[in-house]
Amino acid sequence: MLRNFLLAGTAALGLAVSAPAFAHNNGHTDGHGVEHASELTAPPIEYTMWTLENGLRVIAVRDDGTSTVTTSLWYEIGSKNDPQGRSGFSHLFEHISSRKTENMPYNLIYSLTADVGGTRNASNWVDRTNYFEQVPAAYLETMLWTHRERMANLVVDEQVFETERGVVKEELRQRVLAPPYGRLQRFIIPENAYDLMPHRRAGIGSIADLDAASFEDARAFYEAYYGPDTATLIVAGNFELETLRALVDQYFADIPARSDPISTAVEQFEPEIDGPRSIHATAPNVPLPVIGGVWKGQAITHEDAPAIRVLMTLLSGGENNRLANALVRKGLAVEASGNAPMFREAGHLNVYALARPDKIEAAGEALDVELAKLRAELVSPEELAEAKSEIVASSLRRRETARGRAFELGEALMASGDPDYADRGLRLITKVTASDVLRVAQRYLDPERRVTINYSSGPEDAASYANPVPMPDFGTLPAASAPIRSVKPEEAREQPPGPAKAPSIAPPKMVQSALSNGIPVITAQTGNVPIATVSIVFPGGSKTDPQEHDGIAELAASLAASGYHEVDAQTIAARFESLGANFSGEADNDGTIFSLTAPTANLAEAGELVAHIVKGALYPDEEFLRERARRIETLRVTMTDPTGVSRRAARTALYGDAPYGSHPQGTPESLANINRSDLLYHRQHFFHPERMQIVISGGLTSDDALAAAEAMFGDWVTPNGVGLIVDDAGGEALAPRTIVVDMPGSGQAAIFVALRAPARGAENFDALQIANAVLGGGSSGRLFEEIRTKRSLSYGAYSRIEGHKDGSLLTARAQTRNETADEVAAIMLTEISRLNEEDLGQELLDRRRTYLDGSYGRVMETSAGFNSIVSGLLLHGLPASDASRLADRLAKVDSAAANAAARSVLNADQATLVVVGEAAKFLDDLRKIRDNIEVIGLDDLDLSNPSLRKVIEE
């Protein structure tokens, strides 16, 4: 499977237009005998829309099958509206406007959502900024009240400005400066994709522009752009329409529109490039060179936009795409990517590959050849149909929930000006012809209009990739004139409204049965959207990997679709994608899960293909050797990421050479020891019907799900014996360690704290989950509060329990500047000690219990989420029925049990601490916190050795 491990695209392929999908017409067969699926189509999203007199647009999406409601407020304000010299400002203000109002003290929004079992967030993009919450439906009015507060009574003061500016700078360091390809995606590509449009500037900004910004700039930005006349409120979930109308009038009708409105539209237009040009950019810690190109594109509503989207899907969508077949499968590149972000006024195309260092020239030539083919030849009817199916099926997966449908409408509205574009754009996709694709390829991938990008390791130099066109002046905003608001004294504040009556929603009925050959099957109808998820569960996983062969289980799972009897990987990928199906295999510590998601109309055909793969994967030599080499290169890249290194080093330190010490993804050294026969052995003895369990859920009945499973595996028997699975894979607890991995030139330091914890089936596991939620559960956890909210030391700080069958891990993590690594480590250890020493009150435990219950419920809303939870229980030796009992189990945990669980595990003196970064900047101060620090240079690190040091052979 050609997963992209390293490249996160600069944007989605334009607007992700989607809808529930149905198949119609009969399938057909190409000249090679490969059958192609029926065309997928989609009915429109149902919604109601109206506009208040002050300009606020309201969209309602009802779904009485969910127990939640999502409230989202979308402002037509994005990074294109950043003032001159203030790049990143709309993103900074997204942080600011989530924090304080006259009646909401700092970050009250977190507790108003998390403490009732909800979640909230905000995001910023070129055309828009949105703020959203998903909560139990009874809290609809509470959330509308918070949106009124943030629209009408926002507090913008020095404290919130300085705090959030610090947080955003840490976010920039973490997401852009620390990752090896962050600068490429956030700085270099937009700088060269546009000449005159404000889209040229990095949406996240720059450290210099953020430092130059002032509190007065923030006040001016708020007054210029924020008001009901630039906003759309979208409410999706379980509510009565008339109730919503009344609440909207109550909370928003009296808010005045902006008194001196400034247009959010961009008046500039983007000229054609006057000829090809090339740039050679460098940055620290770039392990693999990049070769690619950037071209000017079009706005999302341009007549060529649908064909451009299909073109880019042909180039890089799914696994059977032009770039993968020409570069990755040929061993010239480790990864390849293509994107066509399209916005309201402009767009661009970018295509690039991470090349093998000794094949950069050949990779560039192969990339040019593929682009030339698209400009010269009509794509085949089968390839065109496959690309369209991918786009429509992707929409189907997103629209499985009311929240997903709300976001489809919001993104369509912000990018095009019309929520109906969510459906209209998809209809236009289905009308794209091969001639359309040829035409747009010739027009938009013209080599005479290309900016060729080369990116490699070296000193950072912004001048090396600067656009020769001078940066335009994007203007400033009028000074703020309204008085500065402040948070009211507690006794004078208006209190948020309480919950209404909650709707009664029955959980999905879980049916347990068996195939004719005895394989257990768990089925549930989780919704009405015609999509299904099938999970095939085998115990074993990486704990079965032999010493010095870490990665066998994961390779056997992820490469299973590389070929079976006379059917190769490319044919398999093409077939899945033509069916609108996604298939993957993955191994963790305790087992392997194969997952199939497909439209219900195509489930039988996709399931037949899955059965062939699971029963008979052959791992052809060519595919195996190429993918093994690619994984080795990928792992070397991840060794430049401080967080990835810290996690992997902690695993070795905590488990040593016990089976859980095996790294599921392997190491460069262990992967080199693996051969094809290892994978065949694993498939024959661990992918076994005697140990197999199947989970199927989605928009189909349990009877239909069972019939699908029977057709796939009901006749499966094998003479092979089952493989050995060890007990007590965690081994004996090892002494705690403090490890510093020195990574010179790293943009940030990663801090990782880990403790051994009881197995998922242990009696005190649920109590420990609640205690951990207090420590680092989301944005209301203590780590987030102390490290981000109070001190702006990190973009985020969290803890989690990595549940396993034979003993779990409790881990805490954060990234920060190298200079503050010791401070963050000290805070983490202090908060762990605090939980060990202080009693947790019942009120706090009740809030954290509700937080966990709500988080769990949101995952269970989708078929993929339901399957993930049930499959995990099965791998950990627990009954599937536990999936419906979490709330009851958590309710039984009292304060005594939670305190006892915390004290049994959360002992800071027993914690292993790993810090990865530029050691010279924090080591002396870290030694004031911990003794006996092991300092290991990155080049000396050996993740397969319990000592973590390479053995030097004499």
Side-chain angles (χ1 to χ4, degrees):
M1 175 171 287
L2 300 180
R3 297 179 191 164
N4 270 9
F5 297 93
L6 308 172
L7 294 176
T10 56
L13 294 181
L15 180 64
V17 183
S18 57
F22 299 89
H24 70 84
N25 302 328
N26 294 323
H28 61 281
T29 303
D30 67 14
H32 302 285
V34 177
E35 187 179 342
H36 291 271
S38 304
E39 182 179 285
L40 296 178
T41 60
I45 301 177
E46 296 182 1
Y47 67 93
T48 303
M49 183 169 67
W50 68 97
T51 304
L52 303 187
E53 290 185 3
N54 58 12
L56 176 67
R57 186 190 288 112
V58 184
I59 295 176
V61 183
R62 292 194 65 245
D63 183 347
D64 58 10
T66 178
S67 62
T68 69
V69 64
T70 296
T71 56
S72 55
L73 200 60
W74 300 69
Y75 286 93
E76 297 174 6
I77 306 159
S79 58
K80 68 185 183 183
N81 303 116
D82 290 343
Q84 175 64 23
R86 298 294 183 268
S87 66
F89 208 85
S90 66
H91 172 246
L92 171 59
F93 203 82
E94 169 239 301
H95 282 249
I96 290 171
S97 56
S98 295
R99 299 296 167 246
K100 289 198 296 188
T101 74
E102 290 183 347
N103 296 297
M104 293 170 60
Y106 210 102
N107 279 349
L108 177 64
I109 185 62
Y110 287 144
S111 58
L112 288 177
T113 51
D115 290 352
V116 301
T119 186
R120 55 85 42 200
N121 212 326
S123 68
N124 172 260
W125 193 217
V126 172
D127 288 314
R128 54 85 180 153
T129 303
N130 70 349
Y131 306 85
F132 58 94
E133 304 81 28
Q134 185 178 7
V135 294
Y139 291 89
L140 169 61
E141 183 176 0
T142 311
M143 293 303 103
L144 294 177
W145 179 85
T146 68
H147 281 294
R148 171 193 170 80
E149 278 293 302
R150 286 174 282 176
M151 180 182 286
N153 301 316
L154 187 69
V155 171
V156 183
D157 61 15
E158 291 275 10
Q159 181 215 10
V160 71
F161 175 77
E162 292 297 341
T163 299
E164 296 309 314
R165 174 165 61 178
V167 168
V168 169
K169 287 163 67 175
E170 288 307 307
E171 180 182 1
L172 191 154
R173 292 184 179 103
Q174 179 173 324
R175 291 187 169 183
V176 180
L177 303 183
Y181 302 101
R183 292 171 177 85
L184 171 70
Q185 296 164 337
R186 299 298 187 101
F187 293 162
I188 298 170
I189 287 177
E191 167 70 10
N192 289 279
Y194 305 98
D195 295 328
L196 302 183
M197 300 294 282
H199 306 54
R200 176 175 165 179
R201 300 172 297 173
I204 199 169
S206 67
I207 297 294
D209 278 4
L210 290 169
D211 282 340
S214 70
F215 162 57
E216 291 301 326
D217 292 331
R219 293 183 59 221
F221 194 86
Y222 176 58
E223 286 190 24
Y225 290 126
Y226 273 78
D229 49 322
T230 59
T232 298
L233 173 69
I234 305 181
V235 180
N238 200 330
F239 57 87
E240 295 298 328
L241 186 58
E242 292 309 310
T243 300
L244 177 63
R245 286 184 182 273
L247 291 172
V248 168
D249 286 344
Q250 176 182 345
Y251 287 109
F252 296 96
D254 66 337
I255 300 175
R258 294 171 297 160
S259 58
D260 187 17
I262 295 177
S263 174
T264 60
V266 174
E267 301 299 331
Q268 293 100 317
F269 69 93
E270 190 67 17
E272 292 288 356
I273 190 171
D274 57 9
R277 68 173 189 265
S278 296
I279 61 167
H280 296 265
T282 58
N285 296 324
V286 178
L288 295 175
V290 172
I291 179 68
V294 178
W295 297 259
K296 296 182 188 298
Q298 291 292 355
I300 188 66
T301 54
H302 190 274
E303 63 181 2
D304 289 340
I308 291 173
R309 190 168 175 214
V310 172
L311 168 66
M312 298 309 288
T313 303
L314 290 163
L315 257 178
S316 67
E319 292 191 25
N320 181 41
N321 64 69
R322 295 288 185 98
L323 295 181
N325 294 336
L327 283 91
V328 180
R329 284 196 165 96
K330 297 291 178 60
L332 301 176
V334 175
E335 289 184 14
S337 176
N339 295 284
M342 290 179 276
F343 310 107
R344 187 174 290 202
E345 292 102 354
H348 77 270
L349 295 77
N350 65 75
V351 178
Y352 55 106
L354 270 68
R356 298 186 185 282
D358 59 338
K359 297 183 179 179
I360 182 70
E361 185 175 339
E365 290 173 355
L367 179 62
D368 291 345
V369 168
E370 285 308 307
L371 297 179
K373 286 181 182 178
L374 283 168
R375 293 193 300 266
E377 303 169 1
L378 289 171
V379 300
S380 70
E382 293 77 25
E383 195 176 8
L384 181 64
E386 182 183 322
K388 293 179 182 180
S389 290
E390 286 184 61
I391 295 170
V392 175
S394 178
S395 80
L396 173 61
R397 291 186 288 273
R398 284 191 298 273
R399 292 195 184 183
E400 196 174 357
T401 64
R403 171 174 163 172
R405 295 191 289 277
F407 271 70
E408 292 290 315
L409 294 173
E411 297 289 9
L413 173 63
M414 295 295 107
S416 74
D418 181 5
D420 280 343
Y421 192 80
D423 296 314
R424 187 171 71 255
L426 192 59
R427 290 194 298 271
L428 292 171
I429 290 289
T430 65
K431 296 177 181 179
V432 171
T433 67
S435 295
D436 292 330
V437 174
L438 179 63
R439 174 177 52 80
V440 297
Q442 292 171 342
R443 165 68 179 82
Y444 297 101
L445 295 177
D446 184 347
E448 294 302 309
R449 297 173 174 175
R450 169 177 169 172
V451 179
T452 296
I453 293 177
N454 294 273
Y455 181 66
S456 58
S457 186
E460 183 172 14
D461 180 10
S464 67
Y465 60 82
N467 189 326
V469 177
M471 181 75 78
D473 188 319
F474 296 109
T476 58
L477 296 173
S481 58
I484 299 174
R485 297 189 184 97
S486 61
V487 179
K488 293 178 180 178
E490 186 172 0
E491 64 276 7
R493 294 176 202 156
E494 178 183 329
Q495 295 302 303
K501 183 179 178 180
S504 178
I505 303 294
K509 181 182 178 182
M510 192 183 304
V511 178
Q512 301 194 45
S513 51
L515 304 185
S516 54
N517 58 1
I519 294 174
V521 181
I522 297 97
T523 61
Q525 182 167 356
T526 54
N528 296 315
V529 176
I531 186 172
T533 299
V534 181
S535 298
I536 301 154
V537 183
F538 297 102
S542 65
K543 65 186 178 186
T544 69
D545 290 344
Q547 288 279 345
E548 299 184 357
H549 287 72
D550 299 15
I552 286 178
E554 168 60 20
L555 281 174
S558 61
L559 298 187
S562 60
Y564 63 90
H565 181 64
E566 295 185 353
V567 182
D568 64 16
Q570 192 172 339
T571 302
I572 292 171
R575 185 65 184 139
F576 276 129
E577 288 160 17
S578 70
L579 292 167
N582 271 1
F583 175 74
S584 64
E586 186 172 3
D588 68 3
N589 297 91
D590 290 310
T592 292
I593 299 175
F594 290 103
S595 296
L596 168 71
T597 300
T600 54
N602 294 335
L603 181 60
E605 295 174 78
E608 182 182 5
L609 191 56
V610 169
H612 284 301
I613 292 168
V614 173
K615 296 174 186 177
L618 292 178
Y619 311 102
D621 271 327
E622 182 180 359
E623 290 280 335
F624 164 72
L625 292 172
R626 187 209 66 243
E627 187 61 17
R628 184 184 67 174
R630 192 171 82 94
R631 299 290 179 99
I632 290 172
E633 292 289 353
T634 298
L635 287 172
R636 288 174 176 151
V637 174
T638 62
M639 293 302 288
T640 65
D641 170 35
T643 294
V645 173
S646 68
R647 288 176 178 158
R648 291 165 69 82
R651 173 185 288 272
T652 301
L654 284 154
Y655 289 123
D657 55 11
Y660 275 171
S662 175
H663 294 272
Q665 305 294 333
T667 67
E669 295 77 18
S670 71
L671 292 185
N673 294 333
I674 297 171
N675 57 49
R676 173 177 174 262
S677 62
D678 295 323
L679 306 193
L680 285 169
Y681 181 89
H682 190 92
R683 191 262 293 167
Q684 291 164 353
H685 297 280
F686 289 97
F687 302 167
H688 202 287
E690 289 186 18
R691 286 175 171 161
M692 176 184 189
Q693 299 184 77
I694 302 173
V695 185
I696 305 183
S697 69
L700 75 174
T701 67
S702 287
D703 287 344
D704 289 341
L706 181 61
E710 179 70 30
M712 293 167 69
F713 294 106
D715 63 348
W716 190 18
V717 293
T718 177
N720 298 321
V722 295
L724 175 66
I725 300 177
V726 299
D727 294 323
D728 190 23
E732 292 190 10
L734 302 178
R737 298 166 67 179
T738 303
I739 298 160
V740 169
V741 178
D742 188 18
M743 185 181 288
S746 64
Q748 278 194 315
I751 300 91
F752 197 84
V753 180
L755 290 149
R756 294 282 289 263
R760 190 173 179 185
E763 183 178 353
N764 64 344
F765 188 80
D766 293 326
L768 185 63
Q769 285 195 85
I770 296 178
N772 174 69
V774 173
L775 175 65
S779 51
S780 293
R782 288 177 174 175
L783 293 178
F784 190 97
E785 175 72 15
E786 295 296 326
I787 293 172
R788 170 172 163 164
T789 302
K790 289 184 178 179
R791 297 173 176 85
S792 301
L793 292 173
S794 177
Y795 181 54
Y798 308 95
S799 66
R800 65 188 292 257
I801 300 176
E802 299 177 12
H804 302 309
K805 184 177 185 296
D806 302 324
S808 304
L809 289 181
L810 191 152
T811 64
R813 68 194 188 281
Q815 278 191 211
T816 187
R817 299 191 309 280
N818 284 289
E819 293 82 358
T820 53
D822 59 293
E823 184 178 355
V824 170
I827 294 170
M828 286 181 162
L829 295 172
T830 297
E831 290 304 318
I832 289 172
S833 296
R834 180 182 167 196
L835 271 174
N836 185 278
E837 297 162 2
E838 297 179 5
D839 284 341
L840 299 173
Q842 193 62 46
E843 181 183 359
L844 173 60
L845 295 179
D846 287 343
R847 294 200 306 269
R848 296 284 79 191
R849 179 186 293 112
T850 304
Y851 160 79
L852 288 173
D853 196 26
S855 301
Y856 191 85
R858 287 190 300 277
V859 175
M860 293 281 281
E861 280 197 338
T862 67
S863 59
F866 175 91
N867 281 32
S868 174
I869 287 175
V870 174
S871 298
L873 289 167
L874 298 178
L875 283 183
H876 296 150
L878 300 173
S881 55
D882 273 10
S884 59
R885 296 174 183 163
L886 178 69
D888 292 338
R889 296 201 320 268
L890 293 178
K892 295 177 182 177
V893 177
D894 58 18
S895 58
N899 288 318
R903 291 187 177 117
S904 69
V905 174
L906 289 160
N907 182 340
D909 292 336
Q910 294 301 310
T912 287
L913 170 65
V914 180
V915 184
V916 180
E918 198 162 349
K921 295 182 177 180
F922 59 78
L923 185 57
D924 288 345
D925 290 325
L926 190 65
R927 286 195 168 109
K928 300 173 185 176
I929 301 169
R930 277 282 181 105
D931 297 326
N932 302 318
I933 295 177
E934 306 170 51
V935 182
I936 304 172
L938 183 63
D939 292 339
D940 298 323
L941 185 68
D942 182 356
L943 294 172
S944 62
N945 188 335
S947 73
L948 287 169
R949 295 182 183 275
K950 289 181 179 178
V951 176
I952 301 175
E953 298 182 2
E954 297 183 0

